[in-house]
Amino acid sequence: MKTLYLTFLWHMHQPYYKDDFTGYYELPWVFLHAIKDYYDMPRYFDNLSSSKAVFNLVPSLLMQIKEYVSPHCNDLLLNAIKKSVAKLNDQEKKQLIPQLFMANTENMIIPSLRYTELYKKYERISPDKYSSAFNNQELIDLEIHFLLAWTGVFIREEEPTIKNLIDKDAYYSDEEKTTLLNILFKKIDSIIPLYERLEREGKIELSTTPFYHPIIPLLIDINSAKEVVPNVVLPRKNISLSLDAAWHIDAGIKYFKEIFNLEPKGMWPSEGSISTKAAELFSYFGINWIASDEDVLSNSMNLPLNHSPNRSILYKKHKFRTSNGDIYIFFRDKNLSDKIGFHFANLREDMAVNIFLDELKKIYNNVDFNPHVSVILDGENAWEHYKNNGFPFLSKLYEILESENWVKLITFSDVIKEQSIPENTINNIKSGSWIYGNLLTWVGHYEKNKAWDLLAQTKEKTAVVENNLTNDEIDELKKELYIAEGSDWFWWYGDDHFTPQATTFDRLFRTHLINAHKIARITIPHNLYEPIKKAISSGIKKEPTSIVSPDIDGKITSYFEWLAAGIFNLKYDMGSMQIDTNYLKTLFWGYDNNYLFLRIDGKIKDILNK
């Protein structure tokens, strides 16, 4: 009987949020995703009998998780939460309160009557009144509900104290907050041992990424961005960071081995970014497999894969020959991966699972061999958009897949060993990533290029004085530069992505370059104190960056469908009366050669029911 082999790769990643000079974590996302996703996602595999998956853990994330094991870890938000509300001054309250609503409204706030009550109050008041609008009882309730909202399903089920706090819903105490925090820190301490045990039991395969999550093809040769987009405008400074690329891979492997006491067989290159030279470098360090996106395969083979007879090639395993030996490359099925990441959250769980299964069945029926399907996506950020952190969907999905005799969930290393899956040899790799099959998310825009230029400038200036530094100082200097090479800083520059914390990302990037100058004891140039990120002075979050051709069907069918569209915040500069209704949130606009497209996000059903 023919078998469809399916591999899930769940990628776990956050950038390095710590300023090593101050010792403080400036953003809390490692802690929040640790208690919600890094524990939840592998726990499913304790309840499965034969299904396996790959979990990709970035070394710089593991390093941060280990620090959050301690209740004394210096996280700016957590330090404010740990403080007794009676001792918070007005400025501390003003900074703290907006952060306590950093949660998905529908799935993380509304399930609690008390959290919803406080949220509605928050929406009615202006920022200058935050500190006086909430009394001490409301503030401690808000702190605990924020922590509970970010607590994952499995931790809630395993900890009776947390169940009791959820049931209580209001009128919490400082003692209950301390108890909750202690439970959460203890759970973080169990995360790495959980992955280690599941790997040892053969239920998952662990893989990793270059240390600080850089775009390896750009470090090796920034001109590689031209392979797919020849007219891209590159940074003015052009220095080779190929030695740094090698360091990130080598250091990532060594740290992984230190944590888990085993050699990683595979790597998910940061953002699925690969090239011919990058594949050769991964192979040089003994990596057996890497992975990317189907668009990269399409570009590399010069074959259209979408809705084409050629698509069957995607479902083979792919070998790339290098002077260091063969390396396997797995290419994600964009349709299935993006459906989970960006579409299924809007559907009933049974409908989403049925669609996923139907798509697999089409692949199964359309090929005359045992196909292999790679579903690769972020393992943490999608689930706040799902009900109950994705548990109803994921538990149903795994249950159904395990019950089907024509589907088998296996790891990438298992795929390499499985002789019945046909191989395809690739002779060339066009430099690209999981976003459009190119590298423009990290280079080419004025802001992105300026960041590269400042990095190059810092590298050049500090290299001149390295001989004057001690070995420890050289290590500290290089660490700051390696951190600055991470992909996330460049991701948030430019017009293609938006976050309210973009200015913080900008400041952190420049802080690492400033720290490098301090370690080298050289003058810090003024341009490192000047923001790279353009301030938003209107409701326009971004202008259109390219043409869009969405399907007008009332659904977001792909992450890429509206990615190039302009975005306008419909709540920008509204008074409290308008904000209280909160019906319309965001306007997307874009165009192709024939049409202007408009999309409005918000509580449209509420308007229609008025």
Side-chain angles (χ1 to χ4, degrees):
M1 179 181 175
K2 193 166 66 172
T3 300
L4 182 146
Y5 293 95
L6 173 63
T7 302
F8 286 105
L9 183 150
W10 301 112
H11 174 55
M12 305 301 196
H13 159 63
Q14 290 293 325
Y16 191 78
Y17 293 116
K18 186 179 181 182
D19 178 353
D20 286 336
F21 265 52
T22 66
Y24 286 101
Y25 282 90
E26 302 214 7
L27 290 171
W29 299 116
V30 171
F31 172 82
L32 296 177
H33 284 291
I35 62 175
K36 190 170 79 69
D37 306 301
Y38 303 147
Y39 186 84
D40 255 20
M41 289 297 285
R43 276 287 283 109
Y44 288 97
F45 288 83
D46 266 329
N47 303 326
L48 298 172
S49 59
S50 59
S51 297
K52 301 179 182 181
V54 179
F55 283 87
N56 190 81
L57 301 169
V58 177
S60 54
L61 170 65
L62 290 168
M63 186 164 57
Q64 293 176 91
I65 289 174
K66 285 176 68 67
E67 291 202 359
Y68 273 104
V69 165
S70 169
H72 306 294
C73 180
N74 276 318
D75 178 293
L76 292 177
L77 175 58
L78 288 180
N79 286 353
I81 291 175
K82 284 184 281 189
K83 194 172 183 179
S84 171
V85 294
K87 295 181 179 180
L88 292 171
N89 61 40
D90 286 350
Q91 183 60 31
E92 288 172 325
K93 291 179 182 178
K94 186 177 180 181
Q95 292 175 345
L96 173 62
I97 288 168
Q99 296 183 78
L100 298 178
F101 292 103
M102 294 190 307
N104 182 280
T105 306
E106 182 176 353
N107 298 311
M108 299 171 75
I109 294 178
I110 289 178
S112 160
L113 291 175
R114 178 62 160 168
Y115 206 1
T116 302
E117 173 193 338
L118 297 172
Y119 177 67
K120 288 181 177 179
K121 183 174 185 176
Y122 169 73
E123 284 199 310
R124 291 194 299 268
I125 59 179
S126 58
D128 61 306
K129 296 180 180 177
Y130 287 161
S131 58
S132 60
F134 292 89
N135 62 40
N136 285 352
Q137 184 61 62
E138 289 174 321
L139 189 51
I140 194 169
D141 284 357
L142 180 53
E143 290 176 329
I144 288 185
H145 270 298
F146 172 73
L147 294 171
L148 291 175
W150 279 93
T151 299
V153 175
F154 286 93
I155 295 178
R156 291 183 179 200
E157 289 182 349
E158 293 165 3
E159 297 293 336
T161 300
I162 292 179
K163 284 185 178 180
N164 293 336
L165 289 174
I166 292 171
D167 291 340
K168 185 177 180 179
D169 199 51
Y171 301 106
Y172 298 120
S173 67
D174 267 329
E175 291 75 20
E176 287 173 315
K177 181 175 67 175
T178 300
T179 299
L180 174 59
L181 282 167
N182 287 337
I183 291 172
L184 296 177
F185 283 118
K186 187 177 180 181
K187 282 296 183 182
I188 292 176
D189 194 18
S190 70
I191 288 175
I192 291 175
L194 172 61
Y195 285 102
E196 188 175 19
R197 174 176 62 79
L198 290 171
E199 219 279 347
R200 189 172 61 250
E201 293 173 355
K203 295 183 176 181
I204 66 173
E205 176 179 0
L206 293 176
S207 62
T208 193
T209 293
F211 203 98
Y212 288 106
H213 206 265
I215 304 300
I216 292 293
L218 292 179
L219 294 190
I220 294 173
D221 182 4
I222 205 160
N223 291 291
S224 65
K226 288 182 174 290
E227 288 183 21
V228 176
V229 188
N231 62 346
V232 60
V233 177
L234 295 178
R236 288 178 297 171
K237 289 181 175 290
N238 186 356
I239 63 170
S240 173
L241 300 173
S242 57
L243 292 179
D244 291 14
W247 179 88
H248 281 282
I249 296 173
D250 187 38
I253 293 170
K254 288 176 178 175
Y255 190 74
F256 181 93
K257 186 175 180 180
E258 176 185 330
I259 297 298
F260 295 111
N261 196 32
L262 76 155
E263 296 273 356
K265 296 182 178 68
M267 276 192 163
W268 165 250
S270 319
E271 308 293 356
S273 59
I274 61 173
S275 64
T276 293
K277 290 181 179 178
E280 291 171 347
L281 192 59
F282 284 113
S283 181
Y284 174 81
F285 283 103
I287 294 298
N288 293 336
W289 63 260
I290 54 177
S292 187
D293 184 77
E294 67 175 67
D295 284 347
V296 176
L297 176 63
S298 177
N299 291 337
S300 300
M301 298 189 68
N302 196 26
L303 284 174
L305 296 180
N306 197 25
H307 305 299
S308 148
N310 299 324
R311 190 161 183 80
S312 63
I313 295 172
L314 177 63
Y315 304 118
K316 298 180 179 181
K317 54 184 174 185
H318 305 275
K319 181 187 291 184
F320 181 70
R321 300 191 182 281
T322 79
S323 58
N324 307 304
D326 296 341
I327 188 168
Y328 284 89
I329 308 177
F330 298 100
F331 296 95
R332 70 194 284 270
D333 184 301
K334 184 184 294 292
N335 172 47
L336 288 172
S337 302
D338 288 351
K339 272 184 164 56
I340 294 176
F342 309 107
H343 176 48
F344 283 163
N346 302 315
L347 303 178
R348 289 197 328 266
E349 292 81 16
D350 58 341
M351 183 182 297
V353 170
N354 287 338
I355 291 172
F356 189 87
L357 208 66
D358 287 346
E359 294 289 339
L360 288 181
K361 198 68 175 178
K362 288 177 187 175
I363 296 168
Y364 180 84
N365 290 331
N366 287 338
V367 300
D368 58 1
F369 55 85
N370 287 348
H372 172 245
V373 180
S374 298
V375 174
I376 303 173
L377 66 150
D378 191 306
E380 59 204 76
N381 288 316
W383 310 120
E384 64 198 73
H385 302 284
Y386 282 73
K387 292 178 183 176
N388 206 13
N389 203 38
F391 181 83
F393 167 73
L394 283 169
S395 57
K396 184 74 172 176
L397 178 64
Y398 287 139
E399 177 189 351
I400 295 295
L401 288 172
E402 220 176 16
S403 69
E404 296 289 338
N405 61 7
W406 56 275
V407 180
K408 186 174 182 181
L409 272 68
I410 64 175
T411 69
F412 284 139
S413 289
D414 290 336
V415 175
I416 294 173
K417 297 174 186 174
E418 180 54 55
Q419 297 296 317
S420 69
I421 302 172
E423 282 189 0
N424 173 56
T425 300
I426 306 171
N427 299 313
N428 174 58
I429 302 172
K430 284 286 185 69
S431 186
S433 72
W434 77 276
I435 305 239
Y436 292 132
N438 61 46
L439 300 175
L440 296 194
T441 298
W442 303 274
V443 73
H445 183 279
Y446 167 77
E447 291 177 359
K448 300 175 194 291
N449 289 352
K450 185 175 181 181
W452 281 107
D453 283 335
L454 291 177
L455 173 62
Q457 167 189 290
T458 304
K459 289 278 292 184
E460 289 172 343
K461 290 180 65 177
T462 55
V464 174
V465 299
E466 259 193 33
N467 289 338
N468 301 329
L469 306 178
T470 66
N471 289 336
D472 286 346
E473 288 172 332
I474 292 173
D475 289 342
E476 291 173 9
L477 168 64
K478 287 185 176 180
K479 180 181 178 182
E480 296 290 343
L481 294 173
Y482 292 145
I483 294 169
E485 291 168 355
S487 69
D488 294 84
W489 321 115
F490 303 93
W491 174 283
W492 295 116
Y493 287 130
D495 300 323
D496 41 3
H497 296 99
F498 172 79
T499 174
Q501 297 168 329
T503 55
T504 303
F505 278 94
D506 179 12
R507 180 172 51 78
L508 274 170
F509 170 74
R510 289 180 289 107
T511 294
H512 291 302
L513 300 184
I514 289 169
N515 289 347
H517 283 78
K518 290 178 179 178
I519 295 167
R521 297 188 291 276
I522 56 177
T523 303
I524 302 167
H526 291 297
N527 57 8
L528 289 182
Y529 292 105
E530 299 168 357
I532 300 172
K533 187 69 185 174
K534 183 175 62 176
I536 296 175
S537 57
S538 75
I540 298 177
K541 293 181 178 180
K542 66 183 280 277
E543 301 277 358
T545 56
S546 183
I547 65 170
V548 297
S549 297
D551 293 327
I552 306 303
D553 54 7
K555 302 174 183 177
I556 312 301
T557 55
S558 166
Y559 171 75
F560 300 92
E561 196 172 24
W562 292 89
L563 183 59
I567 304 176
F568 186 88
N569 178 13
L570 292 171
K571 294 176 65 177
Y572 173 78
D573 202 26
M574 289 183 175
S576 60
M577 293 298 291
Q578 293 95 329
I579 291 177
D580 189 40
T581 59
N582 198 31
Y583 293 133
L584 302 181
K585 294 183 178 180
T586 311
L587 169 69
F588 293 76
W589 82 99
Y591 51 84
D592 61 15
N593 294 329
N594 299 308
Y595 299 103
L596 170 69
F597 298 99
L598 299 175
R599 164 186 150 198
I600 297 174
D601 285 5
K603 298 179 180 178
I604 310 299
K605 290 181 181 178
D606 290 355
I607 298 173
L608 297 176
N609 292 334
K610 278 290 184 180

